Amino acid sequence: MKKIFTLIAAAFAAITVNAGEIFSVMLVEGAADLEVGGQSMAAFGTDYSSDNYTMTAGARVEINNGHSNAKNYVSGGKFNLNGSGGSSVYVGLPSGVALKAGDVIRLVNATQKGGAVSFDDGKVSSDNMNDANEYTISEAEAGNTSFYIWRGASKPTFQGIVVERNEGQAIAPAIEVSNKTVVMSCGTEGASIYYGTAPGVTAATGTLYSAPIAITQSVTYYAIAVKDGLEASKEVSKNVEYYAIPSTAKFGATLEAPTDIAEGGADEELSSLTSGTYTATSDGVLSNSAAWQGKAAFKGLVKVKGNITITTTGSEDIVGIKVIGIANSSSTQVVTAADMYVTTDGNILPSRDGDEPGTIEFVAAAPAKSFVINIAGQSRVKFEVYTGTSASVNKAQAAQGAAAPKKVLTKNGIVINDKYNVAGAQVK
């Protein structure tokens, strides 16, 4: 993607900011649509009339289209990055203003939870903003004078972006999911974290956080940070859902490249493997992997992209599927499954630069003969299929508090979206 190093022609006097709102850009009601050409950018105030927005004096806002087709990046009175994961909103803070640890970047009137913040123009396809569409600046990120907003995985549309500074207050804790545990941390050195499962946590009523919390049930955690001499942080929350392939499920089949294919040779379609079936739709690719790039870790993996239908013809239904594989490129690849929950910490296959394939585990919302696995980008995988009965799965789901199927994406073990009722839900 083109790097953006835009010089602001006018010279602005240094601005001293101590507290409150240090930056804001807000679209006005009825703001006109803004189309940005392919592989180009549009600057507020130059390519987009100031009649459509309000913005902190001396700041710079640009919308960067990272794809080849022109798109409307302001539509319906909101910023809209939904059409392109490679596009972003760039914010340059006013001259003399730099981010401090504890500053909060927030999306205003967002339609979905999530979104992503970065400090360079490298695409971010997973969320790092919390359920309130907020991102807290860490000590390591302090000093930056600009940042980017990406759609991440949740694809929120939003009316505006603000940066808030709260001097004299502890930084709100972060609540994350890693290795099937809930991990809490705080950017204020020496602060204590107190948590509970109902809003209104205080140091007196909450539980002191001391170690990662094992995820054994679906629950919402609320937390604050407290330190002597500072005001308690604002309260944050994180909804955590628990799913697992039932212990009663039986290992049904491993769907992988058969020996005569895996040893080498030209690409060819695979079908009717062991007791299951690969079925490729028009955008699916099934072909030989053959110790690709000289790595033994790739043997038995099949090159796949798009929708892959896995079907069992046995007497029992599919209750779980494990996808074991690695991306075909230097980028990670997202895997989702219609009507299935993700039970692992992430649903992203590692890049080919990793040493080993990753494992993504799905459990059926309701057992069925067939499920569709979607591989967002070209990857090399094999599937493990688990079968069982409706009674055993439904009982397990009731105990786990299963909800309607959702689409959930993660990065580095952290769940970043939970709002799309279309495919694959997961611990978050």
Side-chain angles (χ1 to χ4, degrees):
M1 177 183 296
K2 181 189 301 180
K3 292 185 177 294
I4 305 299
F5 296 101
T6 303
L7 298 177
I8 303 176
F12 298 100
I15 299 174
T16 301
V17 179
N18 294 315
E21 189 177 278
I22 66 173
F23 167 79
S24 172
V25 60
M26 201 73 58
L27 296 172
V28 301
E29 184 177 354
D33 290 352
L34 171 61
E35 183 178 85
V36 182
Q39 297 293 338
S40 63
M41 51 77 68
F44 277 33
T46 302
D47 306 294
Y48 192 53
S49 168
S50 59
D51 294 339
N52 295 300
Y53 63 89
T54 60
M55 187 169 70
T56 302
R60 179 76 174 181
V61 170
E62 299 169 358
I63 295 181
N64 306 298
N65 182 355
H67 285 235
S68 57
N69 299 325
K71 297 179 183 292
N72 281 339
Y73 286 104
V74 173
S75 60
K78 288 196 172 185
F79 291 91
N80 184 353
L81 302 177
N82 285 350
S84 172
S87 302
S88 62
V89 179
Y90 166 84
V91 173
L93 296 175
S95 177
V97 177
L99 295 170
K100 291 184 177 181
D103 287 351
V104 175
I105 299 171
R106 178 167 57 87
L107 305 184
V108 179
N109 293 334
T111 56
Q112 299 289 346
K113 297 177 182 178
V117 173
S118 73
F119 300 93
D120 58 42
D121 65 352
K123 175 182 175 181
V124 181
S125 58
S126 58
D127 289 352
N128 57 28
M129 304 189 86
N130 64 19
D131 288 353
N133 301 100
E134 296 177 341
Y135 182 90
T136 302
I137 301 301
S138 67
E139 291 285 355
E141 295 162 343
N144 277 292
T145 58
S146 63
F147 58 89
Y148 293 79
I149 299 291
W150 304 81
R151 74 176 189 183
S154 62
K155 305 179 184 179
T157 61
F158 47 93
Q159 183 184 359
I161 306 166
V162 299
V163 182
E164 297 171 337
R165 177 164 297 166
N166 297 308
E167 302 285 7
Q169 184 179 33
I171 298 173
I175 308 176
E176 301 171 339
V177 171
S178 179
N179 297 323
K180 297 188 178 181
T181 63
V182 174
V183 179
M184 301 183 187
S185 60
C186 181
T188 299
E189 185 177 357
S192 298
I193 299 172
Y194 293 88
Y195 70 92
T197 55
V201 174
T202 66
T205 62
T207 301
L208 177 65
Y209 174 81
S210 59
I213 306 165
I215 298 173
T216 59
Q217 61 180 329
S218 297
V219 66
T220 298
Y221 285 103
Y222 299 83
I224 62 169
V226 175
K227 183 178 181 180
D228 289 344
L230 296 178
E231 181 184 348
S233 76
K234 66 177 183 178
E235 185 175 82
V236 295
S237 64
K238 184 72 172 178
N239 181 39
V240 176
E241 293 178 352
Y242 174 77
Y243 302 98
I245 292 178
S247 59
T248 54
K250 294 184 290 188
F251 177 68
T254 299
L255 306 183
E256 61 182 345
T259 302
D260 59 341
I261 299 294
E263 292 302 320
D267 288 355
E268 55 185 285
E269 185 177 350
L270 304 177
S271 62
S272 300
L273 304 181
T274 63
S275 61
T277 301
Y278 282 118
T279 303
T281 59
S282 59
D283 58 341
V285 176
L286 300 173
S287 59
N288 170 37
S289 65
W292 180 58
Q293 289 199 342
K295 292 185 177 181
F298 292 105
K299 189 170 182 179
L301 305 185
V302 184
K303 187 164 66 177
V304 177
K305 179 181 179 181
N307 292 323
I308 306 300
T309 301
I310 296 179
T311 302
T312 180
T313 56
S315 60
E316 293 187 326
D317 293 330
I318 295 173
V319 299
I321 298 174
K322 291 183 181 180
V323 181
I324 302 168
I326 195 164
N328 205 41
S329 68
S330 58
S331 299
T332 59
Q333 295 297 347
V334 174
V335 181
T336 55
D339 301 318
M340 302 190 87
Y341 302 104
V342 181
T343 72
T344 44
D345 288 328
N347 62 337
I348 295 179
L349 293 176
S351 74
R352 69 182 181 196
D353 299 326
D355 294 329
E356 295 293 337
T359 297
I360 301 170
E361 180 181 285
F362 294 97
V363 63
K369 293 294 184 184
S370 181
F371 288 95
V372 176
I373 305 290
N374 179 270
I375 315 290
Q378 199 168 81
S379 302
R380 296 179 184 254
V381 306
K382 66 178 179 181
F383 302 99
E384 290 185 356
V385 182
Y386 294 80
T387 59
T389 62
S390 297
S392 63
V393 176
N394 290 339
K395 182 179 179 180
Q397 287 183 332
Q400 296 161 8
K406 302 175 183 178
K407 177 181 179 181
V408 176
L409 302 181
T410 67
K411 185 175 183 180
N412 298 329
I414 300 171
V415 176
I416 41 121
N417 173 51
D418 69 339
K419 296 303 291 183
Y420 288 86
N421 291 324
V422 291
Q426 121 141 42
V427 169
K428 65 185 178 92

